[in-house]
Amino acid sequence: MSLRIFRSVAVIMCMMSSITLQSQSMEIEQKIEDLLSRMTLEEKVGQMNQYNGFWNTTGPAPKQGSAAEKYEHLEKGWVGSMLNVRGVEEVRAVQKIAVEKSRLGIPLIIGLDVVHGYKTISPIPLAEAASWDLEAIQHSAAMAAKEAAAAGVNWTFAPMVDISRDARWGRVMEGAGEDPFLGSKVAAARVRGFQGDDLSSPSTIAACAKHFAAYGFATGGRDYNTVDIGTATLYNMVLPPFKAASDAGVRTFMNGFNLLNGVPVTGHKLLQRDILKGEWGFDGFVVSDWRSIGEMVNHGYVPDGREAAKRAVEAGSDLDMESYHYLEELPALVRDGSVDEALIDDAVRRILRVKFELGLFDDPYRYCDEEREKTVVGSEEMEQAVLDMARKSIVLLKNEGDLLPLKQTGQTVALIGALADDPDSPLGSWRLAADDNSAITVRQAMAFYEGNTLVYEKGADVVVGPTSFVRDLETNTTDKSGFDAAVAAAKKADVAVLVLGEHAFQSGEARSRTELGLPGVQQELLEAVYAANSNVVLVLQNGRPLALPWAAENIPAIVEAWQLGSQSGHAIAQVLYGDYNPSGKLPVSFPRSVGQVPIYYNRHSTGRAAPFDPGTVFWSHYIDEENTPQYPFGYGLSYTDFEYSNLQLSAKTINRGEDLTVTVDLKNTGERAGREVVQLYLHDRYASVVRPVKELKGFELVELAPGESRTVAFTIDESLLSFYDRSGKQLVEAGLFDVMVGGSSVDVLGATFELKATGN
Ligand code: BGC
């Protein structure tokens, strides 16, 4: 076939597939209208009602109490969706009631927090973001979707795309960190992964971008708390990942618990109706967060549930998660003319649209195949995927004297710390369908390296007593009875590996902390072991940035291993023993102390960024701490070394509408093959809304053999030079721009160009 014919065929095929898609969606719209015309008001409102899994669904129908009432609501067609029902047997049981007993037989959409894996758990999202590997992140989401879909689930409440600068907030673990550019790329990759190209495939599920919006800016890092941010921060920092998710075709959004500048986001019309559904053209649906419609009463925004339902639906919240106010209040509100039925119809259309797209009307049991469930859930394919993601997520923070990688033979290794032998904590706090205690531990994985002698000592527990999802954990602040044995083991060993950090349930929802050190007596354990043997490798397992100034100063090797999921131990052991060369980079700044929080790299300059005269005090700083973080955004080491040189710009001056090419040479100057994340930052020197001192605007993953060099190129187009003003308008302003390229946000080569006011 000649190139011309090939191109023509490709164009025709493209056109045909877009025509097919258009006609499919027209067909869906017709079906929606037909169904809507046959629905009673109660049935419409029923579609807007979501219930939690509530009784042993596979047992007999409940006879009394709220479970009986909810069962009856399912039969009446007053429930559009359920969450926390999982496994083919359970999902089939509830779907059967909706489809076979309700008048119109509309299938349920079944949601679950598949946040990082379903049963086979991948690294927490913050860790995945540390890979900066969008392909791997997309694949990880695709595998999670495949596993969840095989277990009856067809909708995940993920990705969480909240930007956060506050390590005290426990849900930092659930997002992609502090940067809107990286956050946007990760958001889109995860949406593509969950949803695939075809939502009706039984291996893909609908995704949900949450929590719309600004939940990550809670005052004091205290979960569910008030958010007060300026509009420039809202448009430039908070909204971009949501926009990226919307552009990637995410089918649902979730609002949130927080106030945004005095208005609960669940009742926020500007966000949901004007920006999301208006400006961005989003035609999927918005689910409330758990009881967040009802919580508008607690906020003091509305007097009662009736007004809450009215405000929420007017603002664009389509589906009520567990507050019951829609079901209880909306029919009467419509009948007495307080709420326009057109708003109900709009919400129902959106919900039905996603159900049609998922193929639930063609076959409500398409996610309910027992055979597929058996072969897919927990399969080798899942384990491989989470192991690959776990290795890529690890960040090497320090490696003085090349203590790492460890020698594989002839060594005695003292492995210390309760977390080294804890098969539960690596699963993190969002692992609804995983078996408890099912992660590979570091202790188990290191035992595979039989050329060395492995001695394990717990040293100290992280928490006291049994753990569970609901109760607050009590940290062990007193029991040091295991210290002596740990110190003795370290003394006799060539090297001590300490696995320290947070228990799974010390980060996550409602797990805010005021301290960012190692919980309990772990810091003392670290110091005691170090005093006995200074060859210490500290492996951190945590769901948020920690502030560990003593360790950063004294411990020769530090590995950030987050909560890496089901295969955690293998990933960590492979990195410690050099079978995998780490390449992760921090997606958040690690503070030196909690008092520096919020700390983030893309800050603004001040009028007093440095002292006027050396030694004077009147500049923006602390008198008892540095301004800089312990470990900056974008930072991470490798077992090899990379050298950056020869930063070149294709022009010193460009006109409006013209692109600029930036090139840099990267060389692997070490002795191992390695992977580097080459990062591009820009600084718009002066603007009508002041721009941060640097902003990530591009990154490339480059793999190089020892001695190999490559020229890496970035194209800077006008969208990368733009920003949002305080009314949400996107602007590009002429002036000088600094270009910075390097292996972290602080280690960069620089150049400058000018954007002229003239051009296309
Ligand atoms: C969380 C959401 C989650 C929902 C359902 C809420 O408490 O904020 O992120 O999706 O529960 O489990």
Side-chain angles (χ1 to χ4, degrees):
M1 202 188 301
S2 79
L3 191 61
R4 248 197 17 229
I5 299 179
F6 177 78
R7 279 205 192 118
S8 313
V9 171
V11 170
I12 292 168
M13 280 171 66
C14 252
M15 280 167 58
M16 277 168 57
S17 86
S18 106
I19 292 169
T20 319
L21 279 178
Q22 267 174 27
S23 68
Q24 270 170 2
S25 84
M26 273 168 59
E27 212 179 292
I28 287 180
E29 295 307 310
Q30 278 162 6
K31 287 180 180 168
I32 293 171
E33 293 313 314
D34 169 58
L35 189 52
L36 200 61
S37 70
R38 291 185 284 125
M39 292 170 82
T40 63
L41 180 58
E42 275 70 16
E43 283 166 341
K44 289 181 192 175
V45 171
Q47 286 304 303
M48 300 166 69
N49 181 37
Q50 184 188 47
Y51 282 151
N52 187 31
F54 48 83
W55 90 100
N56 174 10
T57 40
T58 53
K63 296 271 180 290
Q64 53 195 1
S66 71
E69 195 179 86
K70 288 178 174 181
Y71 183 94
E72 191 191 316
H73 291 177
L74 273 170
E75 287 187 326
K76 286 183 167 162
W78 289 1
V79 187
S81 172
M82 293 204 48
L83 76 154
N84 293 334
V85 181
R86 59 172 186 272
V88 166
E89 198 186 356
E90 279 195 23
V91 171
R92 185 186 286 281
V94 288
Q95 196 66 289
K96 219 167 154 48
I97 309 169
V99 171
E100 294 176 23
K101 296 207 169 172
S102 74
R103 190 178 75 91
L104 292 169
I106 301 175
L108 300 164
I109 176 168
I110 305 286
L112 187 76
D113 292 274
V114 183
V115 173
H116 51 111
Y118 173 72
K119 186 176 177 114
T120 315
I121 300 299
S122 54
I124 55 171
L126 184 65
E128 288 199 358
S131 73
W132 297 54
D133 186 332
L134 300 175
E135 237 173 77
I137 292 171
Q138 180 170 334
H139 183 65
S140 171
M143 289 297 104
K146 185 173 174 181
E147 200 182 43
V153 173
N154 38 52
W155 175 28
T156 176
F157 306 126
M160 187 192 95
V161 305
D162 296 307
I163 296 298
S164 182
R165 300 164 163 177
D166 197 328
R168 294 170 298 181
W169 190 49
R171 296 191 84 167
V172 165
M173 50 84 55
E174 229 180 299
E178 72 190 31
D179 181 66
F181 185 87
L182 178 62
S184 298
K185 298 285 179 200
V186 171
R190 299 196 73 209
V191 169
R192 284 195 300 269
F194 287 128
Q195 297 192 165
D197 300 330
D198 176 10
L199 207 57
S200 73
S201 149
S203 297
T204 58
I205 59 181
C208 180
K210 70 186 188 186
H211 303 83
F212 198 56
Y215 181 41
F217 282 71
T219 303
R222 198 152 71 246
D223 208 1
Y224 314 129
N225 224 269
T226 308
V227 176
D228 262 302
I229 54 170
T231 46
T233 302
L234 177 69
Y235 288 113
N236 289 292
M237 296 290 159
V238 170
L239 294 184
F242 288 102
K243 173 74 163 55
S246 171
D247 290 346
V250 74
R251 298 314 287 134
T252 74
F253 267 61
M254 184 185 291
N255 51 40
F257 297 119
N258 57 292
L259 289 184
L260 173 61
N261 303 336
V263 176
V265 293
T266 298
H268 212 293
K269 186 169 167 297
L270 170 74
L271 282 177
Q272 297 174 111
R273 260 200 209 286
D274 301 348
I275 296 178
L276 175 61
K277 294 178 177 177
E279 219 179 288
W280 298 354
F282 171 72
D283 69 353
F285 68 84
V286 178
V287 60
S288 78
D289 204 343
W290 185 284
R291 290 192 192 149
S292 67
I293 295 177
E295 287 179 14
M296 293 203 294
V297 178
N298 308 358
H299 277 296
Y301 186 61
V302 288
D304 51 30
R306 178 181 151 93
E307 195 60 21
K310 178 172 170 353
R311 293 287 187 95
V313 79
E314 283 172 354
S317 296
D318 301 308
L319 180 64
D320 174 1
M321 183 192 284
E322 272 288 318
S323 88
Y324 318 152
H325 291 319
Y326 275 6
L327 194 68
E328 286 165 4
E329 309 291 351
L330 283 181
L333 281 163
V334 171
R335 289 207 169 93
D336 72 16
S338 305
V339 165
D340 188 345
E341 189 164 355
L343 293 180
I344 310 293
D345 288 348
D346 175 56
V348 177
R349 276 193 191 97
R350 291 169 178 275
I351 294 163
L352 294 178
R353 185 173 296 131
V354 177
K355 291 185 179 183
F356 273 110
E357 290 169 356
L358 284 165
L360 287 166
F361 282 94
D362 299 328
D363 175 7
Y365 304 111
R366 76 184 319 149
Y367 298 87
C368 294
D369 177 337
E370 282 81 358
E371 271 317 299
R372 192 168 58 231
E373 184 176 38
K374 266 189 223 135
T375 51
V376 172
V377 176
S379 63
E380 172 71 22
E381 184 188 23
M382 298 299 146
E383 285 181 4
Q384 280 310 320
V386 300
L387 174 60
D388 179 58
M389 194 68 248
R391 288 188 296 225
K392 289 177 170 155
S393 304
I394 291 174
V395 185
L396 180 62
L397 295 177
K398 191 175 173 190
N399 194 17
E400 223 168 60
D402 289 340
L403 184 57
L404 288 173
L406 302 176
K407 294 190 188 69
Q408 294 199 7
T409 51
Q411 302 279 295
T412 298
V413 179
L415 178 64
I416 296 166
L419 291 173
D421 195 33
D422 176 357
D424 206 50
S425 283
L427 302 175
S429 60
W430 276 118
R431 33 63 174 260
L432 297 173
D435 294 332
D436 287 344
N437 297 311
S438 59
I440 304 287
T441 66
V442 178
R443 185 180 182 186
Q444 287 166 337
M446 285 187 84
F448 282 98
Y449 290 84
E450 290 173 343
N452 282 346
T453 304
L454 186 70
V455 180
Y456 172 72
E457 286 296 339
K458 179 166 74 175
D461 282 312
V462 180
V463 294
V464 181
T467 57
S468 89
F469 222 115
V470 283
R471 79 182 253 284
D472 284 337
L473 298 176
E474 196 189 326
T475 305
N476 168 30
T477 51
T478 50
D479 184 1
K480 301 183 202 168
S481 56
F483 274 32
D484 287 350
V487 167
K491 248 187 205 145
K492 283 190 232 140
D494 295 294
V495 59
V497 174
L498 281 99
V499 184
L500 305 178
E502 297 179 314
H503 181 274
F505 293 116
Q506 285 175 321
S507 61
E509 185 173 345
R511 269 93 182 177
S512 301
R513 291 181 61 202
T514 59
E515 300 286 342
L516 295 175
L518 295 168
V521 295
Q522 294 181 95
Q523 177 68 32
E524 287 169 72
L525 176 64
L526 178 65
E527 292 183 26
V529 170
Y530 176 77
N533 182 348
S534 60
N535 276 343
V536 169
V537 177
L538 172 60
V539 176
L540 294 170
Q541 198 174 288
N542 43 300
R544 53 156 64 77
L546 295 177
L548 302 173
W550 184 88
E553 175 74 27
N554 295 286
I555 298 298
I558 307 179
V559 174
E560 176 51 75
W562 317 103
Q563 288 152 346
L564 292 175
S566 305
Q567 294 288 317
S568 169
H570 285 315
I572 294 169
Q574 288 173 21
V575 163
L576 294 180
Y577 276 119
D579 286 336
Y580 190 86
N581 188 356
S583 58
K585 302 273 187 178
L586 294 178
V588 277
S589 306
F590 273 41
R592 295 173 189 274
S593 64
V594 71
Q596 288 184 315
V597 172
I599 184 164
Y600 46 96
Y601 86 97
N602 47 5
R603 62 190 168 79
H604 290 104
S605 184
T606 64
R608 297 184 173 198
F612 299 120
D613 295 309
T616 58
V617 76
F618 300 106
W619 66 291
S620 177
H621 73 301
Y622 299 102
I623 55 171
D624 58 356
E625 184 57 278
E626 306 275 324
N627 279 358
T628 55
Q630 188 80 62
Y631 297 112
F633 176 84
Y635 170 82
L637 304 172
S638 161
Y639 292 152
T640 191
D641 295 308
F642 294 102
E643 190 183 274
Y644 288 79
S645 62
N646 195 26
L647 179 66
Q648 300 280 347
L649 307 185
S650 58
K652 279 269 159 216
T653 307
I654 55 169
N655 295 313
R656 291 291 309 269
E658 285 176 0
D659 291 350
L660 181 91
T661 306
V662 178
T663 53
V664 71
D665 293 342
L666 180 72
K667 182 171 186 190
N668 179 347
T669 55
E671 276 151 27
R672 285 168 168 265
R675 210 156 86 120
E676 170 73 332
V677 183
V678 181
Q679 301 157 44
L680 167 79
Y681 296 87
L682 292 180
H683 174 215
D684 183 348
R685 283 211 196 155
Y686 38 88
S688 55
V689 177
V690 173
R691 309 310 311 135
V693 292
K694 60 185 72 155
E695 294 179 278
L696 183 73
K697 292 293 177 182
F699 58 91
E700 284 290 329
L701 263 65
V702 183
E703 299 214 26
L704 293 178
E708 193 184 350
S709 296
R710 184 150 337 142
T711 301
V712 181
F714 295 97
T715 303
I716 298 179
D717 63 21
E718 217 166 83
S719 71
L720 295 182
L721 305 178
S722 71
F723 61 91
Y724 294 90
D725 71 8
R726 284 171 300 149
S727 63
K729 196 164 141 242
Q730 203 168 5
L731 299 179
V732 179
E733 289 179 352
L736 289 176
F737 288 81
D738 298 316
V739 178
M740 292 154 273
V741 180
S744 87
S745 60
V746 298
D747 193 7
V748 288
L749 300 176
T752 300
F753 71 93
E754 186 182 358
L755 175 69
K756 294 275 194 199
T758 54
N760 308 335

